[in-house]
């Protein structure tokens, strides 16, 4: 496993692989790797000749009041997980390499960026699109691997790739969960013992919503109310949003039909958790 810390050697390694006709799979991360990342890396390894993992805590996607300074940084542990998953290259750039002094250029996927989490985290998706755009130019992957837990991120990045004609396929992998249903996330580390006990209500509430839809419910207001009530009654958390939206446009639905994304964001103390399910409704 090679660790590359500068942009030029990463671009050269990618170009060399391409010249040899090898395919490159790419998993972008901010480190603090867990089994969710491992599942992306496994698929990446399976599909491609070369698998590249990037680790970069991107300041441009954190708001001024958010957890950039405290975001877990676990270089040694991350390297062990990467090795176990047979990553070929870890791209580990410095802040200076990614955002040199006087940096000015951003990618803004208009309108999609301001929905769902975008209402609560202004500028977040502009930061995500910009860094992933830069990483795609550096790593030149054939396939980009993303996790379904970050549903809006997947929609925003797919749209960016389509609109800007990047020759990259996007593969979205299912959310990996703890045995009690809590979606794996680097931010679960912020949960207190009490909050950790309550947090599985998010997925339980989503499953109850799925059950209601299976039994015929199509009214989005009722589904949202069902989820909100379950979360309120079973935790001391703050709900940012519970929304039922079209899974491609992220536009809110009154009546559930087609491919529906039910997405939630809930704060438990220091931890802002997101989760979602996608339902195909005829
Ligand atoms: O999902 C993440 O960890 C980040 O948003 C990403 C895609 C690595 C961009 O910094």
């Amino acid at each position: 496993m090679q660790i590359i810390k500068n942009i030029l050697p990463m671009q050269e390694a990618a170009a060399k692989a391409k010249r040899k006709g090898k395919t490159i799979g790419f998993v972008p991360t901010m480190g603090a790797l867990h089994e969710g990342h491992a599942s992306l890396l496994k698929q990446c390894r399976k599909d491609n000749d070369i698998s590249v993992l990037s680790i970069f805590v991107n300041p441009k996607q954190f708001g001024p009041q958010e957890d950039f300074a405290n975001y877990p940084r676990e270089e040694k542990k991350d390297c062990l997980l990467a090795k176990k998953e047979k990553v070929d290259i870890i791209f580990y750039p410095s802040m200076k390499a990614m955002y040199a002094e006087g940096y000015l250029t951003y990618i803004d996927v208009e309108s999609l960026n301001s929905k769902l989490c975008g209402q609560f985290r202004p500028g977040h998706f502009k930061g995500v699109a910009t860094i992933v755009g830069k990483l795609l130019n550096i790593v030149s992957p054939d396939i980009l691997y993303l996790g379904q837990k970050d549903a809006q991120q997947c929609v925003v990045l797919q749209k960016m790739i389509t609109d800007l004609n990047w020759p990259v396929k996007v593969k979205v992998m299912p959310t990996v969960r703890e045995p009690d249903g809590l979606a794996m996330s680097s931010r679960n580390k912020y949960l207190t013992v009490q909050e950790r006990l309550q947090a599985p209500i998010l997925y339980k509430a989503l499953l109850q919503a799925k059950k209601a839809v299976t039994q015929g419910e199509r009214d989005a207001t009722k589904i949202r109310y069902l989820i909100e009530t379950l979360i309120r009654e079973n935790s001391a958390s703050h709900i940012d949003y519970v929304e039922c939206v079209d899974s491609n446009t992220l536009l809110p639905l009154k009546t559930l039909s087609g491919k529906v994304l039910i997405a939630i964001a809930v704060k438990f103390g220091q931890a802002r958790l997101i989760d979602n399910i996608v339902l195909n409704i005829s």
Side-chain angles (χ1 to χ4, degrees), residues 28-30 37 56 58 61 124 128 131-132 146 150 153 157:
T29 77
M30 298 205 297
H37 297 112
F56 180 68
N58 173 34
Q61 67 187 77
H124 170 70
V128 170
I131 194 66
V132 174
L146 299 170
D150 298 297
Q153 173 166 283
L157 293 177

Side-chain angles (χ1 to χ4, degrees), residues 11-25 48-50 136 138-143 167-168:
Q11 283 174 322
E12 282 168 359
K16 193 171 150 201
K18 289 266 151 104
R19 275 197 304 275
K20 287 186 180 164
K22 297 197 167 169
T23 58
I24 302 175
N48 301 280
D49 300 317
I50 307 275
L136 292 180
I138 296 165
V139 176
S140 303
D142 296 278
I143 310 180
V168 183

Side-chain angles (χ1 to χ4, degrees), residues 207-218 223 226:
L207 290 181
Q208 284 300 316
K210 183 176 176 182
K211 193 171 162 197
V213 171
T214 312
Q215 289 168 351
E217 187 58 76
R218 295 289 181 272
I223 292 294
L226 168 73

Side-chain angles (χ1 to χ4, degrees), residues 192-213:
T192 63
V193 173
Q194 187 63 16
E195 288 160 357
R196 176 63 188 82
L197 288 170
Q198 294 174 359
I201 190 59
L202 301 191
Y203 188 51
K204 284 196 185 115
L206 287 169
L207 290 181
Q208 284 300 316
K210 183 176 176 182
K211 193 171 162 197
V213 171

